[in-house]
Amino acid sequence: MVGHVQKMESRKLRFAVLGCGFWSRFQIAAWREIDGVELVAVYNRTIDKARKTAEEFNVPGYYNDINKLFENEKIDFVDIITDVDTHFQFVQMAFKRRIAVICQKPLTADLASARQLVSESNEANIPFFIHENFRWQAPIQRLKKAMDTNVVGKIFKARVSFCSAFPVFENQPALAISERFILMDIGTHILDVVRFLFGEAKTIFCLTKTVNSKICGEDVANALLEMHSGVHCYAEMSYASVLEKEVFPQTLVLIEGEHGSIELAADFNFKITTRERTTCETVTPRSYSWADPAYAVSHSSIVDINRNFRDALMSGVQAATSAADNLKTLQLVFAAYDSAASGEVIKLK
Ligand SMILES: NC(=O)c1ccc[n+]([C@@H]2O[C@H](COP(=O)([O-])OP(=O)(O)OC[C@H]3O[C@@H](n4cnc5c(N)ncnc54)[C@H](O)[C@@H]3O)[C@@H](O)[C@H]2O)c1
């Protein structure tokens, strides 16, 4: 059990959103699909953005002064959707007031800060969860369910792939000037999917490259992991891949076991192959009116992760993507950077 918000059953959980940028509109819309929660205030450093968000989603309070928000509003949790370099500060401000925290990935820009926050939340027994939604995507959940039936026997290798030429900088211009780009942005998702499916890693070797000369960070990362289970996992990420079929924002997966393979192919085609046969199905993500149909797989996963957060806050049971769990994903991300910098295989502790 972890700390939880007192006697929640009879009333709605009141919360505030910090950060009213690109991603917040999907996250707020997703919260509105769930009973038992009430968005009472939004905060952004520019008041116009906060006001616009409040008007669009009919939120009673909006602020550009976070201290005023904390003084005026009685809230059970904050949902932090600002840039990574602000996360540490906002998480600590909430902890100081014993307010539970949901924070967007990546948790922090460095590992020491992430460790410190996790230890502070443990010591104070304050719920602290990370919005790491990829593992909540319907096709990834389907994959895990199939693996759990042992249909292909002992798994020995896998490939997890997120490669596209999608112009991600149009929606998220800050990514173009990040010194560390694809591993921090997509690596946090993909390496979390790797952990979700195959458990913890023993070693990681990673090569990175910057293909797009207009950006600061790496836009290609190829990582080879040896998992404690013995699985060899190749995790490939690229925003420089001009392919016949553009699949952004889909994650493609191929898992090989002693009796067959499980494949999550383009357009959510899900196949299980054994020596006898191949079975096929399409795992269509749920669509919501506010979601962009092209990104339904990503947007619908927000509803599912938010539901998990709400249930965790109400019951005191740990969320699937607790900060303590996410710290292990972040460790992998930084180990990948260390490997790319040193050219060495990094052993995980
Ligand atoms: N889970 C996902 O799939 C997913 C997708 C996109 C973004 N994200 C994450 O969401 C977070 C935000 O990304 P985004 O694309 O919405 O960025 P964005 O730049 O569009 O939005 C960030 C907002 O935070 C505000 N802000 C920044 N610093 C602030 C401060 N000190 N005080 C008050 N407001 C401040 C900015 O004004 C902006 O409105 C990042 O952590 C990013 O990694 C996650």
Side-chain angles (χ1 to χ4, degrees):
M1 294 285 275
V2 292
H4 61 109
V5 190
Q6 285 174 342
K7 299 252 177 239
M8 297 314 316
E9 299 78 11
S10 55
R11 67 167 178 91
K12 288 184 174 184
L13 291 174
R14 295 163 59 85
F15 74 104
V17 159
L18 313 187
C20 299
F22 164 67
W23 196 247
S24 65
R25 55 184 307 102
F26 304 117
Q27 217 149 296
I28 294 173
W31 277 119
R32 280 151 55 110
E33 298 290 338
I34 294 173
D35 294 335
V37 291
E38 184 182 1
L39 177 56
V40 297
V42 293
Y43 158 75
N44 202 80
R45 64 185 159 198
T46 39
I47 196 72
D48 276 359
K49 268 186 160 180
R51 187 191 300 115
K52 272 191 194 134
T53 302
E55 282 168 3
E56 181 178 352
F57 293 99
N58 207 14
V59 184
Y62 61 89
Y63 296 85
N64 66 349
D65 180 334
I66 194 164
N67 288 310
K68 282 215 175 98
L69 184 153
F70 283 129
E71 279 161 28
N72 292 353
E73 307 286 349
K74 200 169 161 21
I75 51 177
D76 299 301
F77 72 93
V78 288
D79 192 5
I80 301 173
I81 322 173
T82 50
D83 314 87
V84 60
D85 54 354
T86 65
H87 291 176
F88 184 80
Q89 169 201 356
F90 290 148
V91 172
Q92 279 199 325
M93 289 177 97
F95 282 173
K96 227 164 141 187
R97 292 162 180 82
R98 297 205 56 81
I99 293 171
V101 173
I102 298 168
C103 180
Q104 256 298 341
K105 55 59 57 180
L107 165 49
T108 50
D110 68 280
L111 211 45
S113 304
R115 285 195 180 112
Q116 185 181 329
L117 292 179
V118 169
S119 123
E120 284 176 15
S121 79
N122 287 342
E123 276 162 29
N125 202 24
I126 300 170
F128 183 24
F129 309 143
I130 304 305
H131 187 110
E132 177 40 74
N133 53 320
F134 268 40
R135 63 163 82 179
W136 284 99
Q137 292 178 1
I140 303 289
Q141 291 278 327
R142 177 68 187 92
L143 204 57
K144 180 81 164 98
K145 222 167 119 190
M147 287 171 68
D148 289 347
T149 65
N150 203 27
V151 61
V152 295
K154 192 167 168 52
I155 292 158
F156 59 89
K157 91 195 255 291
R159 185 181 71 227
V160 181
S161 178
F162 190 97
C163 296
S164 90
F166 182 77
V168 67
F169 313 108
E170 284 175 15
N171 288 330
Q172 298 174 273
L175 295 178
I177 52 168
S178 300
E179 290 293 323
R180 291 180 152 176
F181 166 43
I182 203 165
L183 280 167
M184 280 300 272
D185 187 51
I186 290 304
T188 44
H189 291 309
I190 293 303
L191 294 173
D192 193 69
V193 167
V194 166
R195 288 187 51 243
F196 175 61
L197 296 176
F198 309 113
E200 302 306 332
K202 200 150 85 173
T203 62
I204 184 167
F205 175 71
C206 186
L207 295 172
T208 60
K209 200 181 266 301
T210 305
V211 176
N212 180 346
S213 59
K214 295 192 184 113
I215 67 166
C216 298
E218 81 290 352
D219 53 2
V220 175
N222 291 298
L224 184 61
L225 300 94
E226 184 187 8
M227 313 307 290
H228 278 288
S229 60
V231 173
H232 294 176
C233 182
Y234 172 44
E236 54 169 349
M237 295 149 252
S238 164
Y239 269 119
S241 299
V242 182
L243 304 170
E244 183 186 7
K245 187 170 176 59
E246 174 59 69
V247 294
F248 181 88
Q250 297 175 39
T251 302
L252 308 184
V253 183
L254 176 64
I255 295 171
E256 294 180 49
E258 58 189 341
H259 305 312
S261 59
I262 310 174
E263 184 175 13
L264 175 56
D267 300 334
F268 317 117
N269 285 310
F270 182 79
K271 301 174 217 176
I272 298 177
T273 298
T274 59
R275 288 189 175 82
E276 290 74 40
R277 68 184 73 84
T278 294
T279 58
C280 304
E281 66 186 273
T282 308
V283 186
T284 311
R286 189 165 167 187
S287 61
Y288 293 94
S289 59
W290 46 267
D292 184 331
Y295 311 128
V297 68
S298 174
H299 292 168
S300 60
S301 70
I302 310 174
V303 179
D304 296 328
I305 192 171
N306 285 355
R307 194 180 291 111
N308 182 251
F309 291 145
R310 179 207 56 190
D311 293 347
L313 287 171
M314 285 186 165
S315 64
V317 170
Q318 194 61 277
T321 55
S322 67
D325 180 89
N326 193 261
L327 188 55
K328 294 180 194 155
T329 296
L330 206 60
Q331 272 165 350
L332 265 185
V333 169
F334 283 100
Y337 277 119
D338 288 347
S339 173
S342 65
E344 289 178 6
V345 175
I346 304 293
K347 281 191 182 151
L348 279 306
K349 288 182 193 126

